[in-house]
Amino acid sequence: MQNEVIKNVQPTIKEHSVLEQIKYLIKAPVLIANVVPVLTGFLLALFFSGATFAGHLGLLLLTLIGSTLVIAGALVINNWYDVDIDTVMGRTKKRPTVTGDISLKTVLTIGIVLSGVGFIIMFFTTLEATLYSFIGWFTYVFLYTMWSKRRYTWNTIIGSVSGAVTPLIGWAALEPAFSHIVPLVLFMIIFIWQMPHTYSIAMRKYDEYKAAGVKMLPVVKGFRVTKIHFLFYVICLFPLPFFLMSLGMVFVITATILNIAWLILCIQGFMTKNNHRWATNSFFYSVNYLMILFVLMIVVTFPIFQ
């Protein structure tokens, strides 16, 4: 079926610069959002183990380069496989797989090479970090992209696993992830966060997902059911900062305030008639929420750089 789609979706007009093609191909914003938790996990492992930053700079670079390539490879393969969906959806029509700027065969090759080189580099860190990298890659490429995305509304849960392992990669490059509660809490934060974040996207792009036949929750169950799920996951975020008391009260208080604000936004969703505007506000809030939390984690452990 994939080959049948390929024959009909490759225009021949080259529309974008090489830099733009790369940006769309690797989904640059998504890539950055996944690499930041890797960095955070590594720095927190340094902080809690008492290790020095200077003494592990080489390991940090290997971890960041390797994980970035693995994640980029998975995102590129996702673009290759989802070309039929991306052709229908307005927000993805600039991807080179749709415009024809890069052939699908080349895209698949790039995805495989990036993934392979990334895994090779990760082997120079630790076996555990490499394993988490593989779990994230396999879950995103096969379990999410190729299996569940087009079939089940709970594809979001599966996709969330791939993003949630990122801090485990960073931590495990230095210390076993199951030796401390912090990396497990980081996993839970990202896993839970991705649910309302993805619901926001699905509600904003409801018409496109429906036209593409993607089984997102709003498309199958409607907006009200989606908002109930949304609210449930935001409430689940509330206790998590209190497991990170070792990061200090500034972090715990900031995280709690962010959770309260998100809860208020959730409640407003049940009263609004403009679902698109509410979903857009929720989307941008969710993006800032995660970045603030993980950057703050780095800031509160800043003395490791000295």
Side-chain angles (χ1 to χ4, degrees):
M1 181 175 181
Q2 185 75 6
N3 291 331
E4 294 176 1
V5 172
I6 290 173
K7 296 177 182 178
N8 300 314
V9 296
Q10 292 196 77
T12 58
I13 300 176
K14 309 301 180 183
E15 300 180 352
H16 301 100
S17 68
V18 174
L19 186 61
E20 286 178 317
Q21 293 172 26
I22 294 173
K23 181 184 72 173
Y24 289 122
L25 189 62
I26 64 174
K27 303 182 183 180
V30 178
L31 179 62
I32 294 171
N34 278 275
V35 173
V36 169
V38 176
L39 173 62
T40 304
F42 189 95
L43 295 180
L44 289 180
L46 284 177
F47 177 75
F48 285 101
S49 66
T52 63
F53 177 77
H56 295 83
L57 180 58
L59 179 60
L60 173 60
L61 291 177
L62 285 173
T63 304
L64 290 179
I65 295 172
S67 61
T68 298
L69 292 176
V70 170
I71 296 167
L75 293 171
V76 171
I77 294 174
N78 171 269
N79 275 337
W80 166 78
Y81 191 83
D82 277 353
V83 62
D84 56 331
I85 294 176
D86 292 344
T87 304
V88 176
M89 300 183 66
R91 72 185 183 93
T92 57
K93 286 186 176 181
K94 292 183 179 181
R95 292 176 180 172
T97 47
V98 176
T99 63
D101 289 333
I102 305 177
S103 71
L104 289 177
K105 182 178 180 180
T106 300
V107 170
L108 178 59
T109 301
I110 292 173
I112 293 173
V113 170
L114 286 175
S115 301
V117 174
F119 283 124
I120 291 172
I121 294 175
M122 287 304 302
F123 273 116
F124 288 93
T125 60
T126 66
L127 182 59
E128 185 178 352
T130 306
L131 176 61
Y132 292 137
S133 299
F134 177 76
I135 290 173
W137 182 91
F138 181 84
T139 301
Y140 186 75
V141 171
F142 288 100
L143 300 185
Y144 172 69
T145 299
M146 297 184 180
W147 176 54
S148 65
K149 183 176 181 179
R150 303 166 189 242
R151 293 179 175 88
Y152 310 108
T153 59
W154 39 268
N155 65 69
T156 307
I157 297 176
I158 294 176
S160 294
V161 173
S162 59
V165 299
T166 50
L168 299 184
I169 295 171
W171 187 288
L174 190 71
E175 293 282 323
F178 284 90
S179 65
H180 203 288
I181 192 174
V182 169
L184 304 181
V185 175
L186 298 185
F187 174 91
M188 291 304 302
I189 288 175
I190 298 182
F191 176 80
I192 294 172
W193 166 85
Q194 282 183 102
M195 302 302 292
H197 172 72
T198 306
Y199 291 153
S200 297
I201 298 173
M203 290 180 67
R204 290 178 70 210
K205 304 298 181 180
Y206 170 86
D207 291 334
E208 296 181 20
Y209 278 113
K210 184 176 181 180
V214 181
K215 302 296 184 180
M216 302 303 289
L217 186 63
V219 175
V220 178
K221 298 293 185 179
F223 284 179
R224 181 168 180 80
V225 171
T226 302
K227 290 177 182 179
I228 293 173
H229 284 240
F230 197 114
L231 177 62
F232 169 78
Y233 285 109
V234 169
I235 291 174
C236 287
L237 287 169
F238 269 76
L240 297 180
F242 297 97
F243 290 97
L244 300 175
M245 295 288 288
S246 51
L247 295 180
M249 289 307 298
V250 171
F251 172 81
V252 175
I253 292 172
T254 301
T256 301
I257 291 174
L258 289 172
N259 287 336
I260 293 173
W262 207 355
L263 178 62
I264 293 173
L265 184 59
C266 287
I267 296 173
Q268 291 175 344
F270 289 96
M271 298 181 287
T272 185
K273 294 182 178 180
N274 192 331
N275 288 312
H276 184 271
R277 178 183 297 175
W278 177 81
T280 299
N281 292 338
S282 298
F283 168 75
F284 285 109
Y285 186 89
S286 67
V287 172
N288 288 297
Y289 174 94
L290 193 69
M291 293 305 294
I292 290 172
L293 278 190
F294 277 79
V295 171
L296 184 57
M297 290 178 193
I298 295 175
V299 171
V300 297
T301 58
F302 190 75
I304 64 174
F305 291 103
Q306 301 176 357

